[in-house]
Amino acid sequence: MILAEGKTVDHLIGILTALARRGEGALVSRPTEAQRRAVAETGRDRLPVRELAGGRVLRLEGPLGTRFRPGTAAIVTAGTSDVPLAEEAGAILRTFGIQVVEVHDVGVAGLHRLLRALRRLERAEPEIYLVFAGREGALPTVIAGLVPAPVVGVPTSVGYGRGGRGEAALSAMLQSCAPIAVVNIDAAVPAALFAAHRFVRRGTGSRSSAPPTRSRRRPTRKR
Amino acid sequence: MILAEGKTVDHLIGILTALARRGEGALVSRPTEAQRRAVAETGRDRLPVRELAGGRVLRLEGPLGTRFRPGTAAIVTAGTSDVPLAEEAGAILRTFGIQVVEVHDVGVAGLHRLLRALRRLERAEPEIYLVFAGREGALPTVIAGLVPAPVVGVPTSVGYGRGGRGEAALSAMLQSCAPIAVVNIDAAVPAALFAAHRFVRRGTGSRSSAPPTRSRRRPTRKR
Amino acid sequence: MILAEGKTVDHLIGILTALARRGEGALVSRPTEAQRRAVAETGRDRLPVRELAGGRVLRLEGPLGTRFRPGTAAIVTAGTSDVPLAEEAGAILRTFGIQVVEVHDVGVAGLHRLLRALRRLERAEPEIYLVFAGREGALPTVIAGLVPAPVVGVPTSVGYGRGGRGEAALSAMLQSCAPIAVVNIDAAVPAALFAAHRFVRRGTGSRSSAPPTRSRRRPTRKR
Amino acid sequence: MILAEGKTVDHLIGILTALARRGEGALVSRPTEAQRRAVAETGRDRLPVRELAGGRVLRLEGPLGTRFRPGTAAIVTAGTSDVPLAEEAGAILRTFGIQVVEVHDVGVAGLHRLLRALRRLERAEPEIYLVFAGREGALPTVIAGLVPAPVVGVPTSVGYGRGGRGEAALSAMLQSCAPIAVVNIDAAVPAALFAAHRFVRRGTGSRSSAPPTRSRRRPTRKR
Amino acid sequence: MILAEGKTVDHLIGILTALARRGEGALVSRPTEAQRRAVAETGRDRLPVRELAGGRVLRLEGPLGTRFRPGTAAIVTAGTSDVPLAEEAGAILRTFGIQVVEVHDVGVAGLHRLLRALRRLERAEPEIYLVFAGREGALPTVIAGLVPAPVVGVPTSVGYGRGGRGEAALSAMLQSCAPIAVVNIDAAVPAALFAAHRFVRRGTGSRSSAPPTRSRRRPTRKR
Amino acid sequence: MILAEGKTVDHLIGILTALARRGEGALVSRPTEAQRRAVAETGRDRLPVRELAGGRVLRLEGPLGTRFRPGTAAIVTAGTSDVPLAEEAGAILRTFGIQVVEVHDVGVAGLHRLLRALRRLERAEPEIYLVFAGREGALPTVIAGLVPAPVVGVPTSVGYGRGGRGEAALSAMLQSCAPIAVVNIDAAVPAALFAAHRFVRRGTGSRSSAPPTRSRRRPTRKR
Amino acid sequence: MILAEGKTVDHLIGILTALARRGEGALVSRPTEAQRRAVAETGRDRLPVRELAGGRVLRLEGPLGTRFRPGTAAIVTAGTSDVPLAEEAGAILRTFGIQVVEVHDVGVAGLHRLLRALRRLERAEPEIYLVFAGREGALPTVIAGLVPAPVVGVPTSVGYGRGGRGEAALSAMLQSCAPIAVVNIDAAVPAALFAAHRFVRRGTGSRSSAPPTRSRRRPTRKR
Amino acid sequence: MILAEGKTVDHLIGILTALARRGEGALVSRPTEAQRRAVAETGRDRLPVRELAGGRVLRLEGPLGTRFRPGTAAIVTAGTSDVPLAEEAGAILRTFGIQVVEVHDVGVAGLHRLLRALRRLERAEPEIYLVFAGREGALPTVIAGLVPAPVVGVPTSVGYGRGGRGEAALSAMLQSCAPIAVVNIDAAVPAALFAAHRFVRRGTGSRSSAPPTRSRRRPTRKR
């Protein structure tokens, strides 16, 4: 995972070009408009990159180092505004070869619809659930009471006033009376990588080949 | 309503004795152990007081000033720890002649049990719901999606760590994606008085005879 | 109630067109400029929509599902800046057939003016008060001491520095020494829907026909 | 003003004895039980000390350094729990020879009683108001709209849940739509000293003889 | 004082024109660029308005209602960024006929300069000090230890990171070990009005003629 | 999992006795001293209960409903104070038949010791890591950079001053630049149950037989 | 440095006995009453331990590993309550052979006294200043403007209400307009160790022999 | 050090021109784009100014007043986004004649790389470390466990959601289990000046010639 944030356009292109030349693949999270344009302008022959999740993730073709066993993860959102984040997580998981089943806009204020949706998801026997919710953030708790798999809550920066921008959702998930784990507000990428670790094939490489979360570094400078 | 908190024992006994002599009734909220003992020791002939809700409310017999029409309110709790607060609210409503239906310990992590309980409550066609919940505070939101009456959330000081002591529950209720109103953490008495206002009989007296929330005053002093 | 926030223009137009085709009515809260323009450009023959409260609410003509009995609600604001939010609430209540009496800019720093205004409002015997105030948020408390109806405080994002943007107002309302209930900062729409529940005609439909607060959903996706 | 807090009993007795020997007077704020007992046991011949405000202030007899002109200050409290703090401020002002008029337990939820009380206070034409209030802290704002003198708000640590222990009161006073100044929560002593400065007789001494707020120091140590 | 914030241009012009027609004067605080332009375009014959403090205050000529006795106030700032706020306060005080002495940019990190400046200010024997400081907000405390007049701290929204935007300054002033009073962050106008109350001539009018802080209201509406 | 907190002694004994009579097993988290004594006094023939983790968990003998496949979890603590919480989690996991490898007191200020310890733990190829840390909470981040398994951070209420009692640790874990998930401060029990879900055997029962997190309910009451 | 907090009495005695047997010295910070008693009861022949700073630090005799060059540090406190913390820091520095000059109770509200004290301290040409202050925390800023050495601010948990318990002091020091560095509230031990690093003799050992801050570990356990 | 923030362009040019005329040098921190342009347009003959650290610092040529002995400081960053701040600090230190060794982008999630980098830095035997880190802010703690010199943590405004914008990093550094000192978020300039004080040559001037942190003042005004 290459974190695009805080990198100059030249720096990012440099990293990707080097990887491409060595035949390695990569994922770039949350590139800026300028970074995406620069990648596109470099040309697909030099940088074989596809945009995933509406451009929120870039995929440099080639092997990713870590190997994952097959399996299924579920993604659920409480509201319309949570969908782009969910797609970001889904794109990353699918890139790793993990199957994703998903259902959207099933908030706790409409329970019967939620119950029907979960019944359908459960048929795929997902090994882990990523549940996205803003506002009061109750959805992961309700789902954890209904399915036999670990549930990770992803609070989203939805909501206004006191507890807005995901603050109430995060607090509520931390206080959940069901045994869920959480990530930070809008942290779709860490959530996806955490879930992916469930499917890592041990023995196929050290951690350094597992999904890394931090940027490639520029060489140490001394002057 | 006479708020016992912050009053000396003598002061409270003085207020109640004066009311009793005039033949007026009263409710005293959250008396301390010392205040309760002093009231008991005064004797039922001078102070005809009964303890309600396990002693969290005192009832001085006699008319209360405001008049209420008949009606039904519902009280729901998410967990065992919320029950004493709920009983406090229930005792006040019943004193006003309002019928109370209730169900306890129906948290959102056990949905099917909650759905059964609500079906039973709805048969009484309650005109307002008081819903008590700590931790992630999701219960009022879920209930407001299922019943055709106004829902008031009462966050309770249950929970630990970040968002503990009712903080997450309050924030979550304020962020609710259902149109609920809330009161402060553990504010069972204000919640009951707010609900009671729905049943006030207009024209039977001015607001000054409606359920007052603040203490009787000691006379203005000048020196 | 259809929450416009977080919906694409196409998505919103799609929902409204489907409803219009089925002859159902709807309310849309806080549409963006772009959403309003798109609705207008669709044409009143396909989308018979009127703008309420200066465009903060859209009304798709047709029946709304829930039925309300006649009645009166009061709306009060502390300052000039609170008026647009109050009008949003008023428009929703009037759409439901509920009569609204209102008075504006009667802050607690000018008590005598406030007392005169309340006397006039009380002649209409409102069954519930919605009181909007920013800054120190004292108005709902003062009013609750003077009228025999339930009072809901709506803190508004007015004020600067410590406690600004409605934070102090919300805290003060939660701490009120009068038995008021509150909604979140600027939450005019939830406040109006909560008040409307007082006037719901039971037996004319399930909750699902009561004023819903969440968006119509786009169909569950699976891939 | 000698701040008793954080001083050992011996240290405090030492300071007072030295002052008494030189014939100087002093005020000691908020002595602990142990400090008060030690002062009493020292005997009135060596330490001519009287207890004021129920022991919350000690007065060592003798001149205080600063000289004050005659004048009147008003003290108002919102509730019963605020009275001890108000008495602390009143005792200090009276020690300085400033006349104090006061009224207690006149919260904003009972406006008509408050209006009557203010009319009586105004007859004394106070030059400054100290207004004590916890919970929602609205009283200083309401009073500042009614009297032609500066108003200082003193938030008190009354209240529970969100914004409790004076937090909401302080925020509300800082947000006041009337031009009041405030001191910290429960800061009755600083409030009294601030008010007293209005009555300082200039030219009768440098600031070092004005009401000092900090403790006498123990001599600089070097080792 | 007419608070310009939150008023439409038409509304403000309407209020001022009505006052001008009646021959009354007024002060308008913090007008927007658009409001100032509209006032200017109305023409000085219809609206005899001058801009004070670089346009942060507007002065409609004519008597202000309240009468003030002569006297002197001191204004001190800790840094360059505090000066515009200080000028706002100074303009208001001078409009009331109160003399203002001032010194700027004398932070506590340069003590000797501060001591010289205070010596000069003290020659005018100011009856009250308004001290503006951001960052660590220590200046009012240091000054209150050196002058025999009441000191009001005005925290300013200067500073970054933790405690930035005036938060640390406000907290530090509330914690001051000297008996100062404070107003909210950047609250230059309330500070000036609070100080002015020290100079109000009693008996020349009711409070309603004292410096009012809130906006003229638009007429109560009923529909 | 039966949450002991907030239950009366009688209530808890009642629940356990009923389970024992039906031959079912249970885990009780964080019993109070009084609850533990009452259980002990009931006698092992009626209540076959063992104390785990120094009495922080009670184990009622008998089958637990959910079935787990074999596997290994790792537990790591940063400091001595974190050990009791870690033992609580370990006891629960072992009760479920999951193997636990652990290492204690390996904070990030002593890196070389930590690296040696991880090498030893990795030999057991744990499928998930629970990492307990207070203070600055850096340990889960460092470990997630070194092992190929999912890492769950458990902030502990260690530390003082700003960010103390686990607040800084929780924030730091949420901000981790490695893809970890977190639970609330001191939430050893939820962390253990979350980890256990990784080992649940699907198809051996519905979620209702998976490790439930909330208390057994007392029967719904109606009056 | 051995952190006593969170260690059982047996554990601490075990660590110290082992060190004593090997002839190594140690410092123990903030032992509990029980820990101190256990150390005393072990006897000076087996544990040659002296109490420093009134028992807040224990010194096990013997060499400490790191070597320090001679030098002088200055310690200053703003108030009486800060002295015990200052003594804790002083005891540690002196143990390392660093000379300490100090002055106490010189708050910024009494500037002239402070200026005299600093003049005396400066004669010793201290290489670093540790400045302890609670309440408004202004002292380190004022001192940093007057001396040519690095200043470290140590906020102390003195103060009440908003910003109390050292919160305002810490924020103010972080916002200082002088270039100071800070440690956490009451963090006298880290401050002393940070200052001591200035005097470490390089080349006389690796960091592992420099003043370590964390506890000796109990051996890794595996089961 | 001249703080550019909050100064008008004219004011800044005036200060610099006066200094240049007297032959004195200066450093200007964080000039705005407009200020930099104005300086450049003034011409190098009248204002001999160079831009350092990509324009974040301006250097007016000429002697700086304070004199520093030779020595080495180390600068370390955790991520790419921290580099501009680090360069700001480095430019200031080098201007003072202090040698700087640095290494970038060595976060704690990649330990082995960090260990190699530190080994290289240590060869220069730096007397102080400035360590820049955002997100979870663990880097200064880890480094302080490995090097025998004082470590100053500089939290950077990197990160999102709860604890974002440097808040978690600052809290974590304050909670560090290693004895580090910290400055405020993004406070690269104060950190550099604090570090520089380590190298001040005593006796070559008073503090007033030591690196001052506050702006040149405009002359006291009196009107």
Side-chain angles (χ1 to χ4, degrees), chain B residues 3-42:
Chain B
L3 189 62
E5 183 197 342
K7 289 208 173 35
T8 62
V9 164
D10 288 355
H11 189 192
L12 182 63
I13 298 289
I15 292 169
L16 290 177
T17 312
L19 286 169
R21 226 177 282 137
R22 290 205 299 271
E24 293 178 32
L27 283 170
V28 180
S29 72
R30 302 194 181 168
T32 62
E33 187 55 37
Q35 290 170 329
R36 285 166 56 192
R37 222 176 314 118
V39 165
E41 285 166 5
T42 308

Side-chain angles (χ1 to χ4, degrees), chain F residues 127-152:
Chain F
E127 293 180 64
I128 192 163
Y129 275 76
L130 297 185
V131 183
F132 294 74
R135 305 292 295 265
E136 81 279 21
L139 190 56
T141 297
V142 169
I143 289 180
L146 297 164
V147 304
V151 171
V152 177

Side-chain angles (χ1 to χ4, degrees), chain H residues 107-129:
Chain H
V108 297
L111 267 193
H112 295 295
R113 197 174 120 80
L114 167 62
L115 294 173
R116 277 195 306 275
L118 282 179
R119 237 170 284 135
R120 199 170 48 234
L121 285 185
E122 270 298 286
R123 275 182 225 130
E125 299 207 346
E127 293 179 64
I128 193 163
Y129 276 75

Side-chain angles (χ1 to χ4, degrees), chain A residues 122 125-126 144-151 170 174-175 177-179 181-184 190 193-194 197-198 202 207 213-214, chain F residues 122 125-126 144-151 170 174-175 177-184 190 193-194 197-198 202 207 213-214:
Chain A
E122 270 296 287
E125 299 208 346
L146 297 164
V147 304
V151 171
L170 172 55
L174 287 168
Q175 286 292 336
C177 56
V182 305
V183 294
N184 207 343
L193 295 176
F194 176 82
H197 270 95
R198 164 128 199 176
R202 260 185 187 269
R207 170 78 178 199
T213 50
R214 211 168 165 101
Chain F
E122 271 295 290
E125 300 208 345
L146 297 164
V147 304
V151 171
L170 173 53
L174 287 169
Q175 286 292 336
C177 55
I180 64 175
V182 305
V183 294
N184 207 341
L193 296 176
F194 177 82
H197 270 96
R198 163 127 199 178
R202 259 186 188 267
R207 170 78 178 197
T213 51
R214 208 165 168 103

